[in-house]
Amino acid sequence: MSWVTTVVGSYSVSEGVRLLVNESIVSIPEWANLIWYNPIPSKVLIFHWLAIRNSIPVKDILFQRGIIQEGQNISCFWCFNSTETVNHLLLHCPWASLIWSDIMFWWNIRWVMPSSLVSFIQAWSSGMGIKAEMSRSY
């Protein structure tokens, strides 16, 4: 085996990274820049990334991995109405919806919750179609 992108034919991490960030090969979604290039705590960034990658250990994922066995309860801990998935827990559970509704109310924004966390991040990073004006008070 040889790595075809180098003259020597051997793989290096720096060569792999260079290949990944080359815009002609892989385009980085705008929402990924919103996550990784923000001055927020690294724990929040990692949680956010795991949530988007559907890797938070919610009951549905634990069931898929065989950690929760067939017949065990995989419904949401908060509402008991739906399967506990990342999208449900962070967006659609009545508890989460109430929090998001309050936030949007405080900001005087009316919108419909997107179906997935990725759609939410894309809408959030594009400003949700809202043009805000900064007001100055002196």
Side-chain angles (χ1 to χ4, degrees), residues 39-88:
I40 57 178
S42 59
K43 290 180 181 181
V44 175
L45 290 173
I46 292 168
F47 179 80
H48 204 151
W49 184 250
L50 290 173
I52 288 172
R53 306 273 309 174
N54 207 26
S55 296
I56 296 173
V58 294
K59 290 180 182 178
D60 183 53
I61 292 173
L62 296 175
F63 176 74
Q64 291 173 18
R65 294 179 183 170
I67 296 168
I68 294 179
Q69 301 301 316
E70 187 74 38
Q72 287 183 303
N73 184 6
I74 60 170
S75 62
C76 175
F77 176 79
W78 298 105
C79 71
F80 303 105
N81 292 328
S82 297
T83 301
E84 186 180 277
T85 64
V86 173
N87 289 324
H88 173 77

Side-chain angles (χ1 to χ4, degrees), residues 87-100:
N87 289 324
H88 173 77
L89 196 61
L90 298 178
L91 300 176
H92 302 293
C93 178
W95 288 93
S97 293
L98 182 62
I99 293 168
W100 286 117

Side-chain angles (χ1 to χ4, degrees), residues 2-136:
S2 69
W3 185 253
V4 295
T5 62
T6 62
V7 177
V8 183
S10 60
Y11 174 79
S12 71
V13 173
S14 62
E15 181 63 22
V17 170
R18 187 197 63 75
L19 186 65
L20 281 175
V21 296
N22 184 345
E23 287 296 323
S24 65
I25 297 172
V26 174
S27 65
I28 299 170
E30 187 60 36
W31 56 263
N33 290 328
L34 180 70
I35 293 172
W36 291 112
Y37 300 107
N38 261 321
I40 57 178
S42 59
K43 290 180 181 181
V44 175
L45 290 173
I46 292 168
F47 179 80
H48 204 151
W49 184 250
L50 290 173
I52 288 172
R53 306 273 309 174
N54 207 26
S55 296
I56 296 173
V58 294
K59 290 180 182 178
D60 183 53
I61 292 173
L62 296 175
F63 176 74
Q64 291 173 18
R65 294 179 183 170
I67 296 168
I68 294 179
Q69 301 301 316
E70 187 74 38
Q72 287 183 303
N73 184 6
I74 60 170
S75 62
C76 175
F77 176 79
W78 298 105
C79 71
F80 303 105
N81 292 328
S82 297
T83 301
E84 186 180 277
T85 64
V86 173
N87 289 324
H88 173 77
L89 196 61
L90 298 178
L91 300 176
H92 302 293
C93 178
W95 288 93
S97 293
L98 182 62
I99 293 168
W100 286 117
S101 294
D102 284 349
I103 290 170
M104 296 306 163
F105 178 77
W106 294 332
W107 291 340
N108 198 25
I109 297 171
R110 292 187 183 119
W111 73 317
V112 176
M113 183 63 71
S115 61
S116 71
L117 198 56
V118 172
S119 297
F120 177 84
I121 298 301
Q122 289 170 337
W124 190 273
S125 67
S126 67
M128 299 179 292
I130 298 168
K131 294 185 179 184
E133 293 183 22
M134 299 289 289
S135 62
R136 294 184 186 181

